[in-house]
Amino acid sequence: MRASTRLLRRLSSSSSPRSLRRLPFHPSPPPPSHPPPVPPLRTLTRALLPHLAGARFSTVPCSSIPSLRLGECGALGTPAIPVAEESEGEGEAEAVAARHDTDAYAAVELALDSVVKVFTVSSGPNYFLPWQNKAQRESMGSGFVISGRRIITNAHVVADHTFVLVRKHGSPTKYKAEVQAVGHECDLALLTVESEEFWEGMNSLDLGDIPFLQEAVAVVGYPQGGDNISVTKGVVSRVEPTQYAHGATQLMAIQIDAAINPGNSGGPAIMGDKVAGVAFQNLSGAENIGYIIPVPIIKRFISGVEESGKYSGFCTLGISCQATENIQIRDCFGMRPEMTGVLVSRINPLSDAYKILRKDDILLEFDGVPVANDGTVPFRNRERITFDHLVSMKKPEEIAVLKVLRDGKEHELTVTLRPLQPLVPVHQFDKLPSYYIFAGFVFIPLTQPYLHEFGDDWYNTSPRRLCERALRELPKKAGQQLVILSQVLHHFTISCFRFSWMILMLVMRGWLNCR
């Protein structure tokens, strides 16, 4: 994937404040002999809120419009400042403000005995020298208690961990925690603490549901800038599948405008008295765009761990699709006007769909849900998401019913879904890389973490041929790897060392082509 100026980051930075603009001022005419009583400032301010919320301010000064009297700005007789309506406007504004204050207070009360600070010491491998690790580093994050005496946090908070400590609010003591399960694709992890002292006075949080747009949420955690617990408020801006920066997967996420800073990762986003998601990343280069992992992804992760005792992964159909919004494409494949669907352009040989589907099939429905020409399906009230979300919510070895159009005829097919491994692994967290040394030549399997060693701009600085194959090529059989010659050790003969890069290219060409 090409790096861009707007990158998804697991830890964010604070946004710049919005600039303020003064409204135009006009001299008032002489006051009447008996002026009407002016409402109190607080009443007038609250009465303005409903009117100003939907107003759009113009940059054109009122002085450019001739013959305007006080109370006229663009239209004759239109008041520049709305009149206070104490009976309706004030009551509505006060109710909204009271509800927001109550939600924030309730979130703090819930979080005091549930949210913990996570301290991690980690050490990742050096992929250029795979027999040794990099220097240890310390990081901090957040987590919260759920039922069953478990703590949920982000996978990137405990990735490549050496040991993990947790500290509850109001306590100076840090307790040792064990990582029970880690799902790097969904960026979630479960921790357990054996100490009985830690669990005294701790309460678990209940998982809620996906919030609707503009619903208020409170993000609780331990961000940078202080040591005590922090609460930031925001509203839900968008719900759709998003690229997860840590696991490089496409899963559902909720976009909010609450501040998510370094240290917030793993903390809960609370709506009312339940958890609406887990804070995990933000969009760099943009203002007030943070993301939380929604409850369906959390429940899917937890249920998989409870059923199998370990992280089971998220299913994929194993196909690449093309939109059929072009009328010529629809006519070419015999789609009738009332039909909608997407064109199957590529199928993973390791998937069950490779035996069932064919290239150039039109996928019309997934489990009885019609697929639109752009690959989306209905979601809640007048919202749409890509049909990949329906696939990701399936459990491993579960059956899906597909309705396809093939050669002008409709067919109903069943496919078994399971997680699929790519030809080049996307991540290698929590395990050491494999390597083989022969006569001074160091051979390693190609992985994306190896390409990441070329720097932040690895897509452009790493070897182009390796990068293209890592991102686009599919495996032909299970367990297949691309093996490359990483380097030639310096103790080898000088002649071979001088020609190491030539040997590298020859060996790479032989290994990459003879598969």
Side-chain angles (χ1 to χ4, degrees), residues 143-371:
F144 61 95
V145 177
I146 61 175
S147 61
R149 285 194 168 189
R150 296 169 297 180
I151 299 172
I152 194 165
T153 185
N154 283 144
H156 72 259
V157 173
V158 297
D160 293 325
H161 65 278
T162 302
F163 66 92
V164 181
L165 300 174
V166 295
R167 189 189 70 194
K168 55 185 181 180
H169 176 69
S171 172
T173 307
K174 298 176 183 177
Y175 300 87
K176 184 179 179 181
E178 297 291 338
V179 179
Q180 179 185 3
V182 179
H184 292 289
E185 286 81 8
C186 58
D187 202 359
L188 292 172
L190 283 177
L191 310 180
T192 58
V193 179
E194 294 183 359
S195 174
E196 292 293 333
E197 180 183 354
F198 170 80
W199 296 106
E200 294 179 359
M202 295 296 289
N203 296 324
S204 62
L205 293 177
D206 296 327
L207 300 178
D209 206 345
I210 302 177
F212 288 91
L213 301 182
Q214 288 300 307
E215 283 200 276
V217 294
V219 178
V220 187
Y222 292 87
Q224 65 178 7
D227 194 46
N228 287 332
I229 201 167
S230 170
V231 181
T232 56
K233 294 192 299 181
V235 297
V236 175
S237 306
R238 183 181 296 154
V239 180
E240 65 179 4
T242 303
Q243 185 80 9
Y244 281 38
H246 178 68
T249 51
Q250 193 90 0
L251 295 173
M252 176 180 283
I254 300 174
Q255 178 184 322
I256 61 175
D257 65 355
I260 298 180
N261 297 307
N264 270 124
S265 294
I270 299 177
M271 182 182 65
D273 60 348
K274 294 187 177 181
V275 174
V278 178
F280 76 116
Q281 68 185 25
N282 83 329
L283 186 63
S284 64
E287 295 185 3
N288 297 335
I289 296 182
Y291 295 93
I292 62 176
I293 303 173
V295 171
I297 302 295
I298 302 173
K299 290 183 177 180
R300 172 68 184 79
F301 166 72
I302 295 176
S303 64
V305 174
E306 291 176 344
E307 292 175 3
S308 61
K310 60 181 181 180
Y311 171 66
S312 57
F314 282 77
C315 294
T316 177
L317 193 54
I319 63 175
S320 299
C321 297
Q322 177 183 343
T324 59
E325 297 172 301
N326 188 299
I327 187 63
Q328 282 76 20
I329 293 179
R330 295 169 50 81
D331 292 341
C332 177
F333 291 97
M335 297 180 65
R336 296 190 296 272
E338 69 275 9
M339 285 184 174
T340 61
V342 290
L343 175 66
V344 177
S345 58
R346 191 168 66 159
I347 307 175
N348 191 323
L350 301 185
S351 66
D352 189 60
Y354 188 76
K355 308 171 186 176
I356 307 299
L357 299 178
R358 298 179 187 174
K359 187 177 180 296
D360 295 338
D361 280 349
I362 302 294
L363 179 60
L364 303 176
E365 294 181 2
F366 181 88
D367 273 349
V369 181
V371 179

Side-chain angles (χ1 to χ4, degrees), residues 441-446 450-451 454 462-470 473 481-488 499-515:
F441 296 98
V442 181
F443 298 94
I444 63 171
L446 178 62
Y450 171 80
L451 299 177
F454 287 89
S462 61
R464 172 56 52 188
R465 190 177 183 186
L466 295 183
C467 188
E468 293 296 328
R469 292 200 164 202
E473 191 163 343
Q481 293 179 322
L482 292 183
V483 180
I484 64 172
L485 175 60
S486 174
Q487 61 175 308
V488 178
F499 291 98
S500 61
W501 285 107
M502 183 181 298
I503 295 173
L504 172 62
M505 295 305 297
L506 291 175
V507 174
M508 282 174 49
R509 184 176 302 173
W511 244 286
L512 294 178
N513 292 334
C514 299
R515 291 170 288 111

Side-chain angles (χ1 to χ4, degrees), residues 2 12 45 49 56 58 66 92 125 160-161 221 251 279 300 344-345 365 377 380 446 461 465 476 506:
R2 186 174 300 274
S12 67
T45 304
L49 291 179
R56 180 175 298 174
S58 174
E92 181 181 352
D160 293 325
H161 65 278
L251 295 173
R300 172 68 184 79
V344 177
S345 58
E365 294 181 2
V377 294
R380 301 195 308 189
L446 178 62
T461 57
R465 190 177 183 186
K476 298 294 188 298
L506 291 175

Side-chain angles (χ1 to χ4, degrees), residues 401-422:
V401 180
L402 308 180
K403 186 176 182 180
V404 300
L405 179 67
R406 179 183 299 169
D407 299 329
K409 299 180 181 180
E410 297 183 16
H411 302 270
E412 193 169 277
L413 309 172
T414 58
V415 176
T416 302
L417 301 178
R418 60 177 63 93
L420 299 176
Q421 297 301 322

